Structures are given as C-alpha cells and as structure tokens.
Amino acid sequence: MKRQYNPDVAGTIFNIQRFSVHDGPGIRTVVFIKGCTLRCLWCSNPESIESRLQLGVYPDRCIGIDKCGQCRQAAPDQSALIVENNRITRIESENQLDYTVCASVCPTNAIKVWGQRVTVAEVLHEVLKDKDFYLESGGGITLSGGEALIQPQFTIELLRAARAEGINTCMETALNYRQKTLDEALPLIDLLFCDLKHMDCEKHLQFTAVSNQLILANIKHVVASGKPTIIRIPVVPEHNGTEENIRATARFIKEELNGKILQVQLLPFRKLGEDKYASLGREYPMATLVTPEREVWEKTLLSLAEVMREYGVPAVAGTNHKISV
Amino acid sequence: MNATVKALAEIGFDEDNWGVGVSGVVNDPSPFPRINRLRNWYYESGWTVDSERALLATEAYQKYSDEPQQIKVASTLAHILRNVTLQIADGQLLVGDCAAPPKSCPIYPEFSYQWIVNELKGDGPPVLRERPNNCYTYSDKVRDDLLGIADYWQGKTVSDTILSRMTPEEMKGDFMGIMLYSTSLYHFAGVGHLVADTDRLFKLGYAGIRSLVQEKLAALPEGDERSIFYRAQLIVLDAAMDYIHRYAELARSKAVNAEGARRDELVQMADNLDHIAEQPPQTFWQALQLTHLAWSLIIIESNGHSVSYGRLDQTLLPYFQNDIKNGVKKDFIQEVIECLAALNTNFMKLRDWLTTQANSGRALGTSTVTIGGVDGDGNDATNELSDMFIDMVAHTRLGHPWMAARIHKNTPDRFAQKIAKAMRMGTGEPKIFSDEACIKAMRNRGVSLEDARNFVVVGCVELSVPGKEYGWHDSAYFSIARVLELAMNDGYALGHQDKGRLGPATGRLEDFASFDELKKSYEEQMIYWVDIHARGTNIMDDVHRELKPLPYLSLLIDDCIAKGQDVNTGAAVYNFTGPQCTGVGSTADCLSVIKQLVFEEKRVSAAELQAAVQANWEGHESLYHLVNSDKVHHYGNDDDYADELAIYATDIYCDAVEGIPNPRGGVFQPGVYTVSANVPFGMVQAASAEGRKNHEPLSDCIGPVHTYVASHDRKGPTAVIKSAGKLHQERMSNGTLLNLRFSPSTLSGDSGVNNLVSLYRSYFKAGQEMQLNVISGALLKDAYKNPDKYRGLMVRVAGYSAHWSELSDELRRDIMTRTEMSFD
C-alpha cells in the first residue's frame, strides 16, 4: 500500500491542547506550531513567535534556591543563572539551550522550555487519543500557531496524516506567505480560519510589522477556490476596533469576496500573556492599554457585529455560534 | 392564563433561556406563581428540630414493651401516624410530611440517641442550635422534651446494641478507631437506598393490599410464627389509611376558610386523598400524591436515606396519557410535578456534627427521581413526562428531589440536548447515567436482564431494582489510600504508631526490593481490612434485623408478603451490601510516584520519600513540588502509565469485596465513589506520597487528584473521561461517580450543548455516571467571600447538590480546588 504520509517529518510546536471548543466545530485538538511571520503588538502568545526552542524563566514559581537548587546542580555554568532574592530570575548565556537541563530538573517549571521538537507520528498519537470525541461531536484537529504554515512540510504532512485517519481538519492562519504553499495545503483542509487584522495597509504594517497586501490577495484566492472560510477579527481597542475599520472590512467581504464566507467572528482582546513576555525577558507591548470591563466589550462586539450584518456579512461575537459547513 | 403567567411561561418553557452557570441564582424561575411563592417560602424560613415523633415513639415503645419486636415497631409507626400534627402549605397541591413541620427535623431515637443528647448539651461538639454551619433552632421546651427521654433510650438503640457486639478488632479500623473505613451511616440510622414497588399499590390500593395480607394470614396454619409478620403489616396498613384520611379531613377543614379557586383545590385534594387512602389512583394528580405519600411513610418508619421515587416518567405515564385524553391541561400536570419539588425540599434530617463537616447541606438529601432510559425490552422509554421532569428542575432549581437521567445509545438527540441544557445551568442536576454501563454492571451481579433494564438510581449513584431490592448501598466508606499507607509501613498507621501495629506485618517500603513487593503488601492489607470491615457491617445487619423490623416497607418490596418475612431477613428478591472505596486518584498517584521516582528513575530513595511524607513535606519542598508536577505520571491525563495503576488499585479492592456473604443471603458488591467523604477521610490521614499534606482531602470519587499546589489532571475533560473510562466499571456495580467542573463559556451556545452531549455519549460507552458543576472560578471566589449574596447558588458536591451557603468551610475549599475545565 502506498504510504499516505511521512510519519518521520519533524517540526517544532509549542503546545497540544485537547478539548478545544473554540477553534472549529465540535471537540478538537489544537496543535500549535511555533514561529510566526507577523509581529502583532497584541500577541498573547509571545512564545509562539520564534521557531526555535526558547527558555522561559518564572521567578514567581521558584521555591527558592536554598530549598531546592536543582537548577544550579544541573547547569553547565552556574554563574549564568541569575538569582535575585533567592529566586532564579533569568539565564544569561549565549547558548540558552545548553540550559534546558535546568528545566528538566526544575520541580515547579520555574525554568521552562518553550517548544518541543516532535515528529508527525508523535503528534498524531496524541491527536488520535480523542478520536471518539471528534466522531461524536463533529470535531477534529486544528492547526494553529504562531503561523500554522511556517513549517510547511511538517504542517502538510500532519494534514495528510489526519486525512489518512479520517479526522476532520481545520487550520488557523494569517495567510502571510506565498500562494504556492497555500495551494499545497488547501486540498487537505476542511475549514479555514484566517485573521483580518486591519484593512488599512499602513496601520497593518504599524501593528503587525507586515503589509496586508499578500494577506488580502490570499483571502481572495482562498474564497474564490470555494474553501469554507471563517474570518476572525481580534477587536483591539485603540487599534483595529474602530467602527471605520469594521465597516471597511465588511465592505471588503461584501465586494471583494462576494460575501462568500461562513462566518466572521469578532473576538475580544484581553490582556493575557503578560507573564509569558516576562518569562522571555520581554516587555509587554500592551502594558499601558486600558481594556474595558466584560459588560462593555461584550456590548461593543455585539454592536460591531450588527454593523457588519448591515452589509450582509454573517458576523457574530465570539466562537460559540454553530458553524454549518 | 393571565398576562403575568404568560410572560413568565415564555421564559420558563424555553430551554435555551435557562442560562449557563447561573445555577439557582435567579428569581422566580417557574412559570407558575404558586411554585415561585413556595420556593421563596423555602428560602425565607428557618431550619428547626421537632420533638413530636421522638415523644410519640417513646410513648409507644413503653406502651408496647411486652409485644414481639415486629408488633412493637408496627404499633409505634401506627401511634405516630394517628397522632402526629399534619400540615398543608398555603398554595400546595400535594401533601405529605415526614412527621415534622416543613424544614424541621424529626428525631428517630430507636436508631441512636446519645449523640443528640451530647449535641443538645454541647457535650463535645458545639450546641446544636449554635453550630457555625448546619445550625437548627429549637425552643427550650423541645430541648427539655428531648433530654427527658434520654434515660429511656440508654442501651436500647440500634447504635448501642451494635457497639456492644463489636470486638476491639472490628472497631480499630472503623470510625471509632483510625477510620480506615467508616460504617457510621447505618450504625446511627436506618438503611434506605431503595425504591418501593408502586405497581402493586397502583393496582390494588392500600385496601387491596390489606385484603392480600389478610388472606395470607388466614391461610397460615395455627401457630405459624409468620402470623406475627402479617399482623404487624395489618397494623401499619390500617394506620397508613387513617393517616391519609386525616390529611383529607385537614384539607376539607382548610377549604371552609378558603376562597375561590383555592377552596376548589382543597376540596379536590380532600376527595383525592380520601380516594387514594384505600383505592387505586385514577388521575395523574392522585397517582403522584399516592407515590409521594407511600414514599414519605417509608421515611417516617425509618430514617434511612436515599429512599427514592423511582422511574416516575414510567410509573405515572398511563395516568398522564389518560388525563390528557380526558382534557386535563398539560400545564396543570406540570404545576403538580413542580409542587413535588417544593414539598420534597422541605424534608429534613438531623445529622451529627462530624458528618455535617463533610456531608453538609441542610436537607433530607436523598430522594432521586429517575427518568429516561430503556424499557424492559431494551427499547427507548423516553417520553413527554421525561421532558416535564427536566422542566421541573429548571423551574424550581431547589436541588430536590434529585434527578437522574438515564442515557442510552438510542436516546433521542433532542432529549440528550435538553439534558445538556439543564446540566449547564449549573445546579448540578440532573446527574446522568449510562444504561449500557449500568445494566452491564448489574448483570454481573446476577440481576435478570429485564430487571437490570428497569434500574433506578437510589441516592447518589447507587443502582437498584425498584420494588425488588434491599441493597444496603452506601454501607461503608473504605479508604484504599489508607490501605496503601499501611502497606508502606508494615501495618502501622502514620500518626497512630502508639496504637501499635494495626494490620498484618507486610513490610516497609524502604525494605522492598521491587515495586511488585509493594503491590503484594497492598494486596495483603486489602484483604485483611475488607474482611474485618465486612464483619462489622454484618453485625450491623444482624442488629437492624433484630431491633428494627420494617413492616411498612415490607409491604412494598417483593417477595416479603409472599414469603411472610420482613425485608430485613433477606426476603427481597435481591439482597446486597454495597461499600464504596475512596481515594482512587490518590492511591494511583501515590503508586505512580513510587514506581517512577523510586524504582525506575531512582531519583529519590524510598527512605527519603518516607521521611518527606512523615515530615509533612517540611524541609522537602523540592520533592513536594516534583511529585505534584507534570514530570510525574498522574491519573486523569489519559496516560496509561498512571491509569493502569488506578485500574490495579481498584481491581484489588473489587477482588477483595466481591462475593463476601451478608446475613440476608446476598453478597457484598463494590462501588467506587466518595460522595464528599474524601474530605473527612483526608482529615484523619497523615500526608501521603502523591503530594498530599497532613489532613488534606483525598481525591474525590473516580476523579483525579487536586492538592493545595496543583491539579494533577492537566489535559482537560476528554483526558479525565478517558482515564475514568479505563477503570473496570463493569465490576463496580454499587456505582461510580465522576465530577467535572466547567466554566460557563465552554458550554455556552449551540456548540456548548453539542460538545457536552458528545462528551457524555463518549464516556458512556464504559462509564456509569457523570455530573457537572458549571460555574466560573471568579464567581466561586466571590461566593466564598460573600456566601449570603448567593442564596440560590447550588453546587454539585458529589452525588448531590447543595446550597453553597450551607456548606462547611472545608467542603467549599475542596470544591474550589477542583479543576475548572476551560481553555477559554
């Protein structure tokens, strides 16, 4: 029998999350691919941005060098471990990855490796554990990121593997890559989620560090191909959450995509991931942004969805609305 | 229907508007104003203790002291039924109390009395009416009356007699010793846990059953001692009929002063009651009223808990269909059903101070209604009434009666979704059961296929055959975590070394050369402790048979009348004794830590691990965090390494329990659930190797471990479900219980309903039962600070839901630490 996929292809992921109910129909397992081509200011997964493995340090989790000290015993060079107030605070070394041994002995994950090299077979083994739930609920696998297609060979083999096992496939992508890569993946995908972060090219560049030209072209291409597509908009106050941008987006969907999308999901921005930035020794770019209370942003999302529906765009607030493919 | 009712009805009948995670924190959830008024009465009135039943029972025991025991207890019940004060609540369509006013606890001195005396005096535990939680008020007169009968009961109770017969060996592991297990429930009270036969009652009425018993008596040869049994039955039958006529009289006398529609209702209630006092019911209203009265009489006779209503959507269906055909409005039947919830919620049971610390919530806490499932031929039996009972849950949100929904592979999707919508409200009701798994487990115990298909839930999760089983479910809590502790310490219990060696000398962990030697030690300790626990339980069984025959209950359980024998003597068709183990997750993780870190990775020596545990982890922080971290295999993550140890730990317990004979001609059968006993069993146990500190709760039911520093399950509900589904649940015929907690956002919307249905349908291929808390962590934290703000907030404790404001501090904290299943 011809092999339908190559189980030995390896890639770097930063998480596998079972029982995910917000990223496609039914109960799903989301595989988060590490690495991204965008640099969104509001990114809440800073560990997803670089493709390489990284070390994170959480001083708050450290129970005290005097009580434990296992990281010191394991470290290639103890002086690289910076301790303040008896807690590990960072690792100063050119070769961070030499210190993954510290993470493997740390009992509280105060030192943690972000990312994991895995093969397609290993990911599939984990994904298949919930196959029963996919079949009952209409769920399956969702590939996300980072950018799901930043390691195209790995992602495409994963999609092939899922297909071979009869598992429904979703992919969540920012679409900022060559159309050729996209065309290779598309036939293996049942439902595509793509982000539309801003319609204004300048602002897109300002907020995400890339232009939206390629992204918009790719969306048109995807929708024209007939692939069931859901557009997601993270609604960030003072950035893209303006009525002007929402109207522009709705016009684009109506005029350029002929309204042929399944759903537009407006997602709230919440200040998450601040501790992850800190663990990587980075500043949190949104630290000063004032975010409204839940009641306020819920209303905002509902009214922006209403605005989009004026254009005949099937917009909803949140991810709990039924998706009919 | 007037305008107000209509507006409410639009909300109340639309299951998509029931809310997600709102629990009972809503005002006036019912479309029927009468139900909302009765519900508000419940929330606004206090809890009390009543002395009337105790005084009447004492009078009768003195008056009939020379009679045979069966006649004495029958005459006592008759004396209570003829003299106790009756109540009909304003607006209620149903009657039937527990020989005490609503929200008041009757007292059963014949079972146990010393602890009540102690608590009235504040001798040891706090004074009953000054308890910090589960407080009940009473007048000085009630207190004096109750203290006045204390001398009479000294040495005469079931409890005193059991104690006088137990040897020190049978006590050392029980609640009066180190509490490796506890037989306390039936030591202090009646047994319950059953569903009576309503088929015969509906067919013959009490008068018809009386004729049957009369015939049996007449047919006996002269001098046959079974005549005593039948005479006792006639005494209680006459009293039961008189009791129901007394309610009819009361309704009629209230009608005199009532006006308009209420007067008509009371007159109709009186007519109904006079009719069903003797004759078979003719309408739904009469049939439900008779069901409730027949049930309440079992509770007045004996305070066993979890006396349940059975499959009301099956037993009442012919009356419902006939009423609809005769033009009775469905809304009216709905209203009568909701009246049952409002009435049932007022039944109370006094529990001792220690019990309330773990098993709190002021309620009778027992009666389950079972709905859905298959019929005797295996076909889907879900019907319109099944829906109406779910509507009752949504419209009353009182937590009573408990609701158990049976699901099978052909349960209609529409009904499965409705169940999910009710569950996600967050009141903890209904709990759901798998027909496939439960029937399989019952078949393993020799229950016939037809009877197994007709199973009912009694109490938390125990399975029973209605009208045919006296199952002694819930007979003891048994801690396998403690068995492992003794297996690691040569039969000594940590913190109790002064008591000497308590179990067999099976060696110490430090001396074991391999993990297999630890297993062997665990297996030997298990057999020893299960055996002596069974001896103690069987002594209790003997004492119940001798001192507390149940002539009324024996009318409604087959084959008591046919055999001329009391239900306590083994006359039921099925006779079991069902103890349940506690600490599955704790034991599995403890074994896993030892196997992985000590014997395989050799990261820590047995001596170091033992020293850390004995020091309550103080000075061993690094190891403490390591055993609580994801670097160790833990049960609940769909990880075969740890899950196989959970299977092993429970299999050894099942091996030891299965087949031990009881005095009623039946056998012991294992269950695996803790209800909330994981809290008190944790309280009496020193620290343990899975990362538990001294006195911290054990893992609950068949769920994963959650300690002060970490939840040991990290992969979400599908992983927990798969781990739990791997246990050999077909052997756990006394029931299993799986608690899950979700954040509301996970279950909201259409997709939330779909996902919840998929979760339970997947689990139910192997698992027996599942129940949910749907509440956000933030709300629980606020409710912890301000319990009074959330008077309607109900949470699932384990086999039951309770009002948050009623729970002890320990239990609230335990519930808060359960993993919230959300990746929002």
Side-chain angles (χ1 to χ4, degrees):
Chain A
M1 199 180 99
K2 188 175 165 258
R3 200 175 223 167
Q4 292 166 288
Y5 63 94
N6 180 353
D8 302 323
V9 173
T12 306
I13 61 172
F14 66 95
N15 195 12
I16 296 181
Q17 185 175 289
R18 293 167 70 176
F19 190 66
S20 185
V21 295
H22 298 288
D23 301 292
I27 294 169
R28 313 191 70 84
T29 297
V30 181
V31 179
F32 292 92
I33 312 276
K34 195 158 154 48
C36 193
T37 63
L38 272 60
R39 296 289 180 272
C40 304
L41 290 175
W42 51 78
C43 181
S44 56
N45 290 323
E47 78 281 21
S48 75
I49 294 170
E50 295 190 29
S51 275
R52 64 184 177 101
L53 302 187
Q54 290 166 286
L55 276 188
V57 179
Y58 286 88
D60 289 351
R61 292 185 190 162
C62 177
I63 56 173
I65 295 293
D66 60 337
K67 287 183 181 155
C68 177
Q70 305 237 9
C71 52
R72 276 198 171 159
Q73 288 168 30
D77 173 8
Q78 288 197 14
S79 67
L81 304 185
I82 307 304
V83 174
E84 285 166 14
N85 297 324
N86 193 31
R87 292 165 194 254
I88 177 84
T89 49
R90 62 188 184 278
I91 295 171
E92 286 186 354
S93 166
E94 293 292 304
N95 306 308
Q96 288 251 325
L97 293 185
D98 291 348
Y99 292 80
T100 54
V101 288
C102 299
S104 58
V105 296
C106 177
T108 59
N109 292 327
I111 305 173
K112 173 177 172 65
V113 183
W114 287 121
Q116 187 184 358
R117 286 292 290 175
V118 285
T119 64
V120 166
E122 285 164 344
V123 175
L124 191 66
H125 175 75
E126 191 67 16
V127 169
L128 283 176
K129 286 182 174 176
D130 279 352
K131 189 168 177 182
D132 244 19
F133 298 96
Y134 311 148
L135 297 180
E136 282 286 351
S137 67
I141 186 176
T142 297
L143 295 171
S144 182
E147 167 51 61
L149 268 177
I150 197 155
Q151 305 170 46
Q153 200 201 348
F154 177 62
T155 300
I156 284 163
E157 286 308 320
L158 268 180
L159 288 167
R160 285 198 181 122
R163 272 285 159 91
E165 294 291 344
I167 295 174
N168 175 282
T169 55
C170 289
M171 189 170 84
E172 195 182 10
T173 173
L175 287 176
N176 185 43
Y177 39 77
R178 287 180 304 163
Q179 195 178 304
K180 185 168 169 292
T181 312
L182 183 58
D183 283 341
E184 227 181 312
L186 272 184
L188 302 167
I189 293 167
D190 293 311
L191 173 64
L192 194 76
F193 287 86
C194 52
D195 284 6
L196 248 189
K197 297 174 202 267
H198 213 293
M199 290 309 296
D200 182 292
C201 189
E202 281 299 307
K203 290 207 165 134
H204 199 280
L205 186 64
Q206 187 190 336
F207 296 146
T208 72
V210 302
S211 144
N212 64 7
Q213 296 301 315
L214 183 54
I215 293 171
L216 294 179
N218 275 337
I219 288 188
K220 283 194 246 179
H221 175 68
V222 165
V223 173
S225 78
K227 182 61 59 186
T229 302
I230 289 176
I231 290 177
R232 283 186 157 172
I233 305 176
V235 178
V236 188
E238 297 172 31
H239 291 75
N240 64 356
T242 61
E243 189 176 324
E244 185 194 356
N245 181 48
I246 294 298
R247 284 191 185 278
T249 311
R251 272 197 301 275
F252 171 77
I253 293 168
K254 185 183 174 190
E255 289 160 14
E256 307 279 336
L257 306 180
N258 298 318
K260 283 186 184 164
I261 50 160
L262 286 179
Q263 215 173 58
V264 173
Q265 297 180 345
L266 300 174
L267 309 181
F269 169 75
R270 277 170 288 175
K271 280 192 173 179
L272 300 169
E274 195 160 1
D275 58 333
K276 288 198 265 190
Y277 278 93
S279 85
L280 291 162
R282 288 186 52 192
E283 293 278 320
Y284 183 48
M286 306 300 273
T288 58
L289 183 75
V290 180
T291 50
E293 294 293 310
R294 185 179 189 104
E295 296 83 57
V296 177
W297 61 250
E298 274 182 348
K299 270 191 200 135
T300 307
L301 290 189
L302 288 171
S303 75
L304 291 176
E306 193 59 42
V307 166
M308 294 192 90
R309 284 199 294 270
E310 286 173 25
Y311 298 81
V313 170
V316 296
T319 57
N320 284 336
H321 295 264
K322 199 172 175 180
I323 300 164
S324 310
V325 181
Chain B
M1 210 185 263
N2 66 38
T4 329
V5 178
K6 187 153 180 269
L8 284 162
E10 280 164 7
I11 299 164
F13 285 116
D14 181 355
E15 59 201 45
D16 288 321
N17 286 346
W18 286 348
V20 184
V22 298
S23 184
V25 194
V26 288
N27 290 322
D28 299 339
S30 176
F32 306 110
R34 133 182 13 245
I35 302 301
N36 293 323
R37 280 197 300 272
L38 289 165
R39 184 176 186 268
N40 289 333
W41 183 89
Y42 170 80
Y43 282 117
E44 281 152 18
S45 52
W47 284 263
T48 56
V49 172
D50 191 68
S51 57
E52 200 176 11
R53 188 196 178 282
L55 297 180
L56 289 168
T58 310
E59 274 172 23
Y61 263 66
Q62 288 170 330
K63 185 172 171 191
Y64 299 103
S65 62
D66 296 334
E67 296 283 353
Q69 199 66 12
Q70 295 186 55
I71 300 297
K72 190 201 288 180
V73 297
S75 305
T76 299
L77 179 59
H79 187 62
I80 294 166
L81 296 181
R82 292 210 170 89
N83 293 287
V84 75
T85 311
L86 306 184
Q87 330 270 336
I88 297 177
D90 288 345
Q92 252 294 357
L93 296 172
L94 296 172
V95 305
D97 301 303
C98 54
K103 290 190 79 173
S104 191
C105 304
I107 302 291
Y108 298 72
E110 62 270 40
F111 284 107
S112 59
Y113 208 61
Q114 191 55 49
W115 65 270
I116 296 175
V117 172
N118 293 347
E119 295 203 19
L120 286 168
K121 290 180 175 169
D123 199 355
V127 176
L128 188 49
R129 59 185 173 188
E130 294 164 16
R131 284 178 177 180
N133 63 284
N134 283 64
C135 179
Y136 297 88
T137 60
Y138 43 84
S139 65
D140 288 351
K141 178 170 186 321
V142 166
R143 180 198 58 201
D144 295 344
D145 284 348
L146 288 173
L147 289 175
I149 58 172
D151 286 347
Y152 173 80
W153 289 104
Q154 187 79 43
K156 292 192 183 66
T157 64
V158 167
S159 161
D160 293 343
T161 311
I162 292 168
L163 267 185
S164 73
R165 291 192 195 173
M166 284 176 93
T167 64
E169 194 187 19
E170 285 146 6
M171 289 198 253
K172 69 184 180 187
D174 209 334
F175 66 96
M176 52 297 252
I178 61 162
M179 204 163 106
L180 183 148
Y181 58 88
S182 174
T183 60
S184 65
L185 283 173
Y186 308 152
H187 185 108
F188 292 106
V191 176
H193 286 92
L194 51 89
V195 168
D197 173 22
T198 45
D199 286 355
R200 185 189 294 133
L201 185 58
F202 282 0
K203 205 186 302 167
L204 302 177
Y206 281 118
I209 293 178
R210 194 185 191 287
S211 307
L212 183 67
V213 173
Q214 189 74 55
E215 280 166 32
K216 285 281 184 187
L217 179 62
L220 284 182
E222 186 106 8
D224 191 314
E225 61 183 23
R226 284 174 294 174
S227 67
I228 299 174
F229 170 76
Y230 290 126
R231 275 171 46 218
Q233 291 210 310
L234 293 177
I235 291 169
V236 294
L237 274 165
D238 288 339
M241 292 189 274
D242 286 355
Y243 179 67
I244 301 173
H245 283 307
R246 287 182 64 211
Y247 269 115
E249 273 170 47
L250 179 62
R252 215 161 265 129
S253 73
K254 281 193 170 247
V256 174
N257 297 320
E259 290 174 357
R262 182 59 182 160
R263 180 200 298 246
D264 297 343
E265 280 170 9
L266 285 162
V267 170
Q268 185 61 55
M269 284 163 74
D271 291 348
N272 283 347
L273 288 159
D274 274 336
H275 178 82
I276 58 167
E278 293 171 35
Q279 301 304 318
Q282 292 164 321
T283 64
F284 183 91
W285 192 359
Q286 289 179 359
L288 183 59
Q289 175 65 81
L290 181 59
T291 302
H292 174 74
L293 282 165
W295 170 86
S296 70
L297 286 166
I298 297 171
I299 290 173
I300 296 171
E301 181 177 50
S302 159
N303 64 343
H305 67 226
S306 301
V307 176
S308 293
Y309 288 109
R311 302 181 74 182
L312 292 186
D313 63 342
Q314 308 303 313
T315 58
L316 297 173
L317 186 63
Y319 302 93
F320 172 74
Q321 288 168 335
N322 200 47
D323 274 13
I324 295 293
K325 208 161 61 191
N326 292 335
V328 178
K329 290 269 183 292
K330 191 177 155 188
D331 278 5
F332 175 72
I333 292 175
Q334 182 69 41
E335 198 170 9
V336 176
I337 289 175
E338 292 178 25
C339 277
L340 180 71
L343 187 57
N344 180 279
T345 202
N346 292 324
F347 275 62
M348 291 295 143
K349 174 171 176 170
L350 188 65
R351 292 181 175 81
D352 62 278
W353 169 243
L354 192 66
T355 302
T356 62
Q357 293 314 286
N359 213 328
S360 50
R362 282 173 290 191
L364 179 65
T366 65
S367 43
T368 302
V369 173
T370 304
I371 56 166
V374 297
D375 62 16
D377 298 323
N379 300 315
D380 178 46
T382 312
N383 60 57
E384 218 173 336
L385 268 182
S386 324
D387 280 71
M388 292 168 76
F389 277 99
I390 294 297
D391 288 336
M392 178 200 85
V393 171
H395 293 172
T396 57
R397 305 192 188 203
L398 285 161
H400 290 90
W402 298 350
M403 190 62 59
R406 287 176 44 178
I407 305 289
H408 59 101
K409 63 180 195 298
N410 296 323
T411 293
D413 282 339
R414 182 202 56 73
F415 187 67
Q417 285 166 8
K418 181 160 187 157
I419 297 288
K421 287 173 189 171
M423 292 177 84
R424 72 177 181 174
M425 288 190 301
T427 66
E429 304 283 345
K431 51 195 167 183
I432 52 174
F433 291 78
S434 159
D435 271 15
E436 283 79 13
C438 293
I439 291 169
K440 193 173 175 191
M442 292 179 86
R443 295 283 288 147
N444 269 345
R445 300 285 164 241
V447 174
S448 78
L449 180 58
E450 195 183 348
D451 283 345
R453 281 173 171 164
N454 194 31
F455 81 86
V456 291
V457 177
V458 291
C460 297
V461 294
E462 301 92 312
L463 315 170
S464 187
V465 182
K468 290 187 179 179
E469 178 169 341
Y470 198 46
W472 269 65
H473 305 282
D474 220 13
S475 61
Y477 291 102
F478 185 97
S479 171
I480 61 172
R482 208 67 181 285
V483 170
L484 181 57
E485 177 189 290
L486 271 71
M488 290 162 67
N489 292 290
D490 200 26
Y492 288 84
L494 294 186
H496 296 278
Q497 282 88 345
D498 58 314
K499 295 194 172 77
R501 180 185 285 125
L502 298 169
T506 54
R508 290 184 184 280
L509 181 63
E510 299 91 308
D511 302 326
F512 296 148
S514 68
F515 186 63
D516 281 345
E517 289 186 22
L518 173 63
K519 285 166 96 173
K520 192 159 162 287
S521 174
Y522 174 72
E523 289 156 26
E524 280 179 46
Q525 294 287 345
M526 184 70 79
I527 289 172
Y528 176 78
W529 289 106
V530 165
D531 279 352
I532 61 168
H533 126 275
R535 266 159 47 196
T537 308
N538 284 344
I539 289 170
M540 295 178 4
D541 208 326
D542 289 337
V543 174
H544 277 267
R545 180 180 68 248
E546 292 164 27
L547 290 193
K548 188 61 187 176
L550 300 167
Y552 175 78
L553 177 63
S554 300
L555 292 165
L556 302 172
I557 298 286
D558 282 345
D559 296 320
C560 299
I561 295 178
K563 289 181 176 163
Q565 276 176 260
D566 192 86
V567 69
N568 267 319
T569 67
V573 176
Y574 301 108
N575 292 285
F576 296 110
T577 302
Q580 55 276 6
C581 89
T582 181
V584 175
S586 301
T587 307
D589 286 1
C590 192
L591 288 168
S592 184
V593 162
I594 294 167
K595 186 178 181 200
Q596 181 188 337
L597 298 184
V598 176
F599 289 106
E600 289 177 2
E601 296 177 2
K602 302 194 191 319
R603 221 160 143 164
V604 53
S605 72
E608 276 174 72
L609 183 64
Q610 293 270 59
V613 168
Q614 278 161 32
N616 196 25
W617 302 101
E618 276 164 39
H620 302 267
E621 283 75 12
S622 176
L623 183 56
Y624 173 65
H625 286 277
L626 178 66
V627 300
N628 273 304
S629 79
D630 57 2
K631 293 185 166 74
V632 172
H633 296 283
H634 286 142
Y635 170 68
N637 294 295
D638 192 13
D639 168 0
D640 284 339
Y641 187 101
D643 294 348
E644 271 164 21
L645 292 169
I647 295 168
Y648 164 78
T650 47
D651 272 353
I652 296 304
Y653 158 77
C654 291
D655 287 345
V657 170
E658 277 174 339
I660 297 175
N662 68 27
R664 285 167 287 116
V667 292
F668 281 62
Q669 58 172 345
V672 182
Y673 58 91
T674 62
V675 190
S676 46
N678 60 308
V679 177
F681 275 86
M683 270 189 215
V684 298
Q685 187 178 341
S688 43
E690 77 277 19
R692 232 185 94 257
K693 294 214 165 174
N694 284 342
H695 317 310
E696 190 175 347
L698 295 170
S699 59
D700 84 284
C701 298
I702 57 171
V705 169
H706 41 88
T707 68
Y708 293 146
V709 291
S711 286
H712 285 192
D713 61 309
R714 300 174 179 86
K715 300 210 164 168
T718 55
V720 171
I721 280 170
K722 283 195 68 194
S723 290
K726 290 176 196 173
L727 301 178
H728 295 149
Q729 296 203 22
E730 69 280 6
R731 301 181 71 180
M732 302 165 182
S733 47
N734 197 43
T736 70
L737 194 160
L738 180 64
N739 271 312
L740 295 172
R741 196 179 120 200
F742 289 91
S743 76
S745 67
T746 310
L747 298 182
S748 62
D750 297 334
S751 58
V753 172
N754 173 45
N755 292 337
L756 179 52
V757 171
S758 306
L759 271 184
Y760 73 64
R761 281 201 189 270
S762 296
Y763 179 55
F764 280 176
K765 285 166 193 161
Q768 291 183 12
E769 191 265 6
M770 181 195 284
Q771 53 188 34
L772 307 187
N773 270 312
V774 183
I775 190 163
S776 71
L779 193 146
L780 266 191
K781 270 184 206 147
D782 194 46
Y784 184 73
K785 278 189 223 142
N786 311 296
D788 297 334
K789 213 168 97 187
Y790 295 91
R791 72 172 193 181
L793 175 62
M794 251 171 300
V795 293
R796 197 77 195 166
V797 176
Y800 65 98
S801 295
H803 284 96
W804 178 256
S805 57
E806 293 292 306
L807 300 182
S808 67
D809 191 55
E810 285 79 5
L811 206 48
R812 282 185 199 159
R813 290 195 341 219
D814 185 54
I815 289 167
M816 281 167 62
T817 62
R818 290 181 195 163
T819 311
E820 186 178 317
M821 298 298 185
S822 162
F823 301 100
D824 185 22

